[in-house]
Amino acid sequence: MWRSIVLGSKSIWLHKLRSMLTALGVVFGVASVVAMLAIGEGASHEAQEQIRKLGSQNVILESVKPPDNQGPGQQTRSMVIEYGLTTRDINQIRQTIPGVSIVVPSRMISEYLWNESNNLDASILGVLPIYPEMRNRHLVSGRFFTEVEFGDRIPVCVLNQTAASRLFPLATPVGKSVRVRGFYYRVVGVIEDESQRSTGEDGASKTGGTKSNSTGQMIIPFSTLMDHYGDTFFRFRSGSFEAEKVEFHEAIVRVHDVDAVMTRADAIRHLLARNHPREDYRVTVPIELLRQAERTKRIFSIVLGSIAAISLLVGGIGIMNIMLASVTERTREIGIRRALGARQTDIVLQFLIETVLLAGAGGVIGVVLGLGIPMAISHFAGVTTVIKAWAPTLAFSISVFTGIAFGIYPAMRAAKMNPVEALRHE
């Protein structure tokens, strides 16, 4: 065996350029397998992390402004647009649906935030003190408002990172004040930007009651927001007038048992459909999105794997083609070996080892190249890539298997040559 390996290595080394060109197909095939798996895993990881931040035990309800002509009870002639989740919905969910541990409603309005001459068009979110825990959002500095501040309707606020950097570009915002209309709010903390909600129930792009991480956000106690702005929000801007009456823009329902989330979500959908003749709400189930993302990941992996398999197939065909040419060139050598007593299995082993060495060398180079591509993509494009430990091993194993599969036929053809005819070959 060792002698065959040495002979195969010498034969490959004698034709360095041809061997290198032969292995190129395997190199690119293996590199594409590793790189595509890393890119696919990275995209899937990023999507699943965003969904997990919404909470696997949560059901998120959002108020959605319906089209003016939708359903009965049209309000196109009214100056005030009324829609969305109501106190009745929240109470019915609490009282009639078992297994629901917490319901956290919130309201959102849009206004300009001011700090001296700096201003920002942002969303003001009125929530309960448990909000960061429910939405898996972490404080960057300071603290969140307390139950006492919530109960006493104290004008305190927490800014997200975008609002803090725009309003206080050169100073720490904690301890300072932000002005909204004639109200002043003391900043008690800075919270991380909210992950952009990019997918909904049907996988389409949607925006919910809270804005994306690229917009400013100020979070205040729900009681303070109701005290300052009331049920109906009036807004005058650039000569236009808006008046909306929305009791809750968003409500987060936490289910006690994660296995019961889907059944409770169906019950909530049924309840809301009965209470709302117009479709002015949206139900988002993060665990449902997570399962959908996992299904998408499997399909994505199959597609990428198929593309990589085609690359390896082309590489394997290239190796077989070159080995067939090599068998023809070395016909006399084969005849001499057979005349000196070499068996057919020795000839098969000799050519098979050469093929596996070629494919294996291509596999090693391909793995190194494949590990470098995701790193380069992450560095220059900022795209998340994840290299699983099994991916390089799998890609190298496939390259060796490709060498064996496409080397058998040339090896068998060499072994079946008639020694006398092989010796006569010029």
Side-chain angles (χ1 to χ4, degrees), residues 107-234:
R107 284 197 69 202
M108 186 197 73
I109 60 175
S110 295
E111 263 299 346
Y112 278 105
L113 312 182
W114 289 86
N115 171 42
E116 298 178 350
S117 61
N118 297 325
N119 69 82
L120 175 67
D121 187 5
S123 58
I124 302 174
L125 193 64
V127 300
L128 306 186
I130 199 173
Y131 175 81
E133 179 189 340
M134 294 291 288
R135 295 305 297 264
N136 292 323
R137 295 181 68 178
H138 304 290
L139 287 164
V140 177
S141 62
R143 59 176 177 82
F144 208 72
F145 55 80
T146 63
E147 291 282 356
V148 174
E149 291 167 334
F150 176 81
D152 293 343
R153 302 169 186 262
I154 303 296
V156 292
C157 72
V158 175
L159 300 177
N160 72 341
Q161 289 174 295
T162 301
S165 61
R166 294 281 298 276
L167 294 174
F168 300 92
L170 301 174
T172 304
V174 178
K176 299 182 174 60
S177 294
V178 173
R179 179 170 61 86
V180 182
R181 293 189 179 177
F183 301 106
Y184 284 86
Y185 299 87
R186 182 167 55 87
V187 181
V188 296
V190 177
I191 198 167
E192 65 180 3
D193 286 335
E194 187 174 28
S195 298
Q196 187 168 5
R197 193 174 305 168
S198 57
T199 55
E201 285 180 293
D202 55 0
S205 177
K206 296 176 178 177
T207 56
T210 52
K211 291 190 175 183
S212 70
N213 54 356
S214 60
T215 61
Q217 196 176 60
M218 184 175 86
I219 304 173
I220 64 176
F222 184 83
S223 54
T224 306
L225 185 138
M226 294 298 291
D227 199 29
H228 288 176
Y229 300 99
D231 286 337
T232 306
F233 176 67
F234 300 93

Side-chain angles (χ1 to χ4, degrees), residues 383-394:
V383 176
T384 302
T385 57
V386 176
I387 300 172
K388 296 284 187 180
W390 52 265
T393 308
L394 174 68

Side-chain angles (χ1 to χ4, degrees), residues 24 26 31 66 119 126 130-131 149 160 182 215 227 231 241 254 266 304 317 340 360 374 408 416:
L24 273 183
V26 177
N119 69 82
I130 199 173
Y131 175 81
E149 291 167 334
N160 72 341
T215 61
D227 199 29
D231 286 337
F241 167 75
R254 174 158 290 182
D266 291 339
L304 293 180
I317 292 172
L340 292 174
I408 286 177
K416 288 180 180 177

